[in-house]
Amino acid sequence: MFSRKEIIDILNDDSKNDWLFSYADKIRKENVGNDVHLRGLIEFSNICKNSCKYCGLRKENTTIERYRIEKDEILEIAKNAVTMGYRTIVLQSGEDAFYSTDKMIEIIKGIKEFDVALTLSIGERSFEDYKAFRQAGADRYLIRIETTDRKLYEKMHPDMDFDNRIRCLEDLKKLGYEVGTGCLVGLPNQTIESLADDILFFKEIEADMVGIGPFIPHPQTPLKDKDKGSFTLALKVMALTRIMLPDINIPATTAMETLNPNGRIIALQSGANVVMPNVTSTQYRAKYEIYPNKICINDKPEKCRGCIGAKIESIGRKVATNYGFSHNKE
Ligand code: 5AD
Ligand code: FES
């Protein structure tokens, strides 16, 4: 465990990176073992009411073609993922009110018929919605805090409220979800100190999962001319998160692979133990452009499953066959 000052010093000093990454790898192995959990990601709607400055799905972006996948097709996609061996399905979308409480409940119940763990990643909703989704069978929820720097948060999310984001995380915890959060690394004007605070925040709220990715500027957003985040800094924040929260689930994020062709494997060897391959049908993939140059946009679900399985085995790790709940509880 490190103090805030130690975390800041490590983030500022690149001379000990090799030590940091292998230490995080060791902590990962001791606490969550060699299994890598695969989560099949379904990007079911790219429609969003929000205006996050960094995100390509923001409502002001009129250049992307918007889509919604409805229940029956979502269930087909999920079933195919289950056939490929996935034991967790992640449903992700923009904040799209089309998916009412009742619609979501039907989709959740349908997916739970397949005997899989179910994660939702559909943004800010009311306590009542979260409760209804949990009762319908949802097991986990992902909602990144994005940054704990309140001023920066407000700049990045003009129509959102930091306190409501925290409220969501608290509600989800209360309702017994496994809660995933995380942050972006390399947002304009983000400080090293605030990244240290992000890590301490993950610990304070006892996150079950933490996803960390570099910021990648999208040409159709107000941040198009800003520098991209650093792959190495994102990896360092991830490695420190593993050291500070030894038994949680940490994904090797797709954004890391976008900046480095071997990014996910490097992440798996620096603290990560989860990968979230895309299982959405190929026709939708290019349209879910949160950031440019996303990987696998022309690939089929089967290709990604085979590709990532082979990569995981090539480094002497194993694809897990259980549901992959956090803290080793099965
Ligand atoms: N670069 C990197 N990650 C991004 N996200 C959104 N936009 C970008 C971007 N331009 C991340 C956010 C969100 C997750 C689904 O995608 O952190 O929580
Ligand atoms: Fe999609 Fe490798 S994970 S092709």
Side-chain angles (χ1 to χ4, degrees):
M1 295 294 155
F2 297 122
S3 65
R4 181 172 186 272
K5 181 175 181 306
E6 284 168 327
I7 294 173
I8 292 167
D9 289 345
I10 293 167
L11 289 174
N12 276 322
D13 175 6
D14 275 338
S15 72
K16 299 188 191 81
N17 286 358
D18 290 346
W19 162 82
L20 173 66
F21 298 141
S22 52
Y23 184 43
D25 194 44
K26 177 171 167 268
I27 300 280
R28 183 270 310 154
K29 189 171 178 199
E30 285 170 2
N31 289 275
V32 295
N34 270 333
D35 277 11
V36 176
H37 300 282
L38 297 186
R39 321 294 200 195
L41 176 68
I42 306 178
E43 297 165 336
F44 68 92
S45 164
N46 69 352
I47 298 179
C48 193
K49 68 171 168 58
N50 292 330
S51 308
C52 305
K53 289 257 171 73
Y54 46 79
C55 185
L57 304 187
R58 68 203 306 272
K59 69 169 181 288
E60 289 79 6
N61 183 6
T62 51
T63 66
I64 53 167
E65 202 187 306
R66 304 282 174 167
Y67 71 89
R68 282 183 177 126
I69 309 180
E70 298 214 31
K71 182 188 134 199
D72 289 353
E73 195 179 343
I74 294 176
L75 294 186
E76 253 173 63
I77 293 170
K79 192 168 185 193
N80 185 43
V82 174
T83 307
M84 283 186 282
Y86 287 99
R87 307 295 308 273
T88 294
I89 297 295
V90 182
L91 287 177
Q92 189 175 85
S93 68
E95 291 202 5
D96 182 358
F98 172 81
Y99 297 89
S100 61
T101 316
D102 289 347
K103 276 207 177 88
M104 282 311 302
I105 288 173
E106 285 201 15
I107 296 167
I108 293 164
K109 286 188 171 158
I111 290 184
K112 288 301 286 184
E113 298 263 306
F114 302 137
D115 185 29
V116 284
L118 177 60
T119 307
L120 301 178
S121 176
I122 61 172
E124 298 181 13
R125 295 265 187 156
S126 65
F127 179 84
E128 286 68 34
D129 272 8
Y130 288 151
K131 187 173 174 191
F133 302 159
R134 179 86 184 109
Q135 280 169 350
D139 301 283
R140 311 184 185 130
Y141 206 102
L142 306 180
I143 182 160
R144 289 186 178 175
I145 191 70
E146 313 293 0
T147 174
T148 56
D149 176 340
R150 183 183 284 268
K151 279 222 172 76
L152 181 60
Y153 185 94
E154 282 163 8
K155 247 194 210 126
M156 291 293 117
H157 310 97
D159 45 10
M160 290 163 78
D161 175 17
F162 185 77
D163 293 317
N164 193 50
R165 198 94 178 154
I166 301 281
R167 191 271 306 160
C168 289
L169 285 161
E170 287 170 355
D171 283 356
L172 293 162
K173 266 276 169 198
K174 271 185 225 153
L175 289 162
Y177 284 90
E178 280 198 358
V179 175
T181 188
C183 65
L184 285 161
V185 176
L187 289 169
N189 301 314
Q190 187 178 37
T191 63
I192 289 289
E193 287 73 16
S194 84
L195 289 169
D197 290 333
D198 293 352
I199 298 168
L200 295 170
F201 172 80
F202 305 149
K203 188 149 180 78
E204 184 190 311
I205 67 161
E206 299 184 57
D208 298 291
M209 190 214 184
V210 174
I212 288 151
F215 158 65
I216 303 168
H218 188 293
Q220 256 77 45
T221 65
L223 303 184
K224 60 179 190 296
D225 298 321
K226 302 292 179 188
D227 290 337
K228 65 174 191 282
S230 147
F231 172 78
T232 303
L233 184 58
L235 197 67
K236 289 176 74 173
V237 174
M238 189 202 79
L240 284 161
T241 300
R242 167 60 71 200
I243 295 163
M244 298 296 287
L245 295 92
D247 64 354
I248 64 163
N249 284 321
I250 299 185
T253 56
T254 306
M256 290 211 185
E257 188 106 344
T258 300
L259 290 194
N260 182 315
N262 205 25
R264 287 177 302 178
I265 289 299
I266 295 170
L268 285 173
Q269 295 179 308
S270 311
N273 70 322
V274 170
V275 182
M276 297 168 60
N278 199 333
V279 298
T280 319
S281 319
T282 316
Q283 66 188 112
Y284 302 111
R285 293 189 176 201
K287 295 176 186 151
Y288 203 84
E289 197 186 42
I290 297 178
Y291 50 79
N293 305 315
K294 250 180 88 186
I295 59 164
C296 307
I297 56 166
N298 297 314
D299 296 316
K300 289 203 171 79
E302 290 74 14
K303 159 106 188 281
C304 293
R305 177 63 187 79
C307 161
I308 199 68
K311 283 188 188 193
I312 288 165
E313 276 158 32
S314 79
I315 56 166
R317 301 273 281 278
K318 195 171 126 287
V319 175
T321 52
N322 58 18
Y323 296 114
F325 284 98
S326 74
H327 311 285
N328 285 323
K329 57 171 190 242
E330 279 303 327

